[in-house]
Amino acid sequence: MSFLTLLSSLVFIFHKKDVFPMILYNEIVDCILSRRSIRSYARKSISTDALETILEAGRYAPSGMNYQSAKVIVIQSSQNMTKLVSLAKKISGIDRNPFYEAPIVILVFGDSHSLTSDYDGATAIENMFLAAHSLGIGTCWIYAVTAIFANVEGKAWQKEISVPENYKIIGSIAMGYTDSEIPSAKPRKDDFYTII
């Protein structure tokens, strides 16, 4: 865990009762409430053990009828990362890396034969977000990949990376250690829930 991540977590723990006075606390709740989207990454590799722990958390996400329709592709090699970023720039028409120079991008696909593939992919993404945060690793949901795999070139690359045609992209995760301060939480909507 980086010093900045540790410091941010300690500040959160010491002040959480003032911010969330009605919530019961444990490590999982702390992890959920303190996770933030990270958009600036250090040039530091993630260990195999940490990566596989995060991927296992995704594997154990709930899924509709336990169909487990999500499929995950980890982009880590420079060759595949260059290809992904190149496709993203070409399709978006913007000359910047939409993955914020993260050392790892995780693509999450869902089997379109499943009625719940979007939800299965989303729960896998959330599990991986929380597992990564618990290990001091930052993440950000990158939705822009949907445009990549809706494109002819993207579909061809999907075949190259051995993802069957019936799988559709759900989203992706930019992942790495942060090289800046953890951002503060944005205000939450008061009308998020109603108890009736």
Side-chain angles (χ1 to χ4, degrees):
M1 180 180 287
S2 73
F3 175 73
L4 284 174
T5 303
L6 177 61
L7 182 61
S8 175
S9 296
L10 287 174
V11 169
F12 178 79
I13 288 166
F14 287 126
H15 294 287
K16 65 189 174 189
K17 287 295 183 185
D18 297 329
V19 180
F20 307 106
M22 77 299 291
I23 298 176
L24 300 176
Y25 283 91
N26 59 38
E27 288 182 12
I28 294 172
V29 173
D30 285 347
C31 189
I32 292 167
L33 297 181
S34 63
R35 188 212 157 262
R36 302 287 175 265
S37 292
I38 302 301
R39 294 177 174 86
S40 182
Y41 296 96
R43 294 183 180 277
K44 179 181 176 184
S45 61
I46 295 172
S47 72
T48 301
D49 287 348
L51 179 58
E52 289 185 356
T53 298
I54 293 163
L55 295 170
E56 281 301 309
R59 188 198 307 268
Y60 276 82
S63 63
M65 301 295 290
N66 197 31
Y67 190 72
Q68 300 177 43
S69 70
K71 182 175 183 60
V72 169
I73 301 293
V74 179
I75 305 298
Q76 190 173 29
S77 73
S78 59
Q79 179 183 352
N80 283 316
M81 188 67 76
T82 299
K83 177 69 173 179
L84 177 63
V85 172
S86 173
L87 281 171
K89 286 180 177 180
K90 183 176 181 181
I91 291 163
S92 69
I94 299 171
D95 191 29
R96 67 170 180 80
N97 183 339
F99 306 100
Y100 304 105
E101 308 295 339
I104 288 177
V105 174
I106 296 177
L107 304 174
V108 180
F109 294 85
D111 185 348
S112 58
H113 294 153
S114 168
L115 294 174
T116 59
S117 60
D118 288 356
Y119 314 112
D120 297 349
T123 58
I125 289 171
E126 177 70 1
N127 269 23
M128 289 187 279
F129 276 171
L130 296 177
H133 179 56
S134 77
L135 298 173
I137 297 168
T139 55
C140 188
W141 185 310
I142 309 295
Y143 187 71
V145 291
T146 54
I148 295 172
F149 292 99
N151 180 281
V152 174
E153 284 185 73
K155 289 180 185 296
W157 193 55
Q158 177 173 333
K159 189 174 181 181
E160 282 179 39
I161 59 175
S162 303
V163 177
E165 191 177 342
N166 59 294
Y167 277 76
K168 62 180 182 178
I169 190 71
I170 306 300
S172 67
I173 303 171
M175 180 181 293
Y177 292 98
T178 183
D179 68 353
S180 60
E181 191 174 329
I182 307 290
S184 299
K186 298 286 193 296
R188 288 332 198 221
K189 294 180 179 179
D190 291 334
D191 61 351
F192 171 68
Y193 65 83
T194 301
I195 300 172
I196 59 173

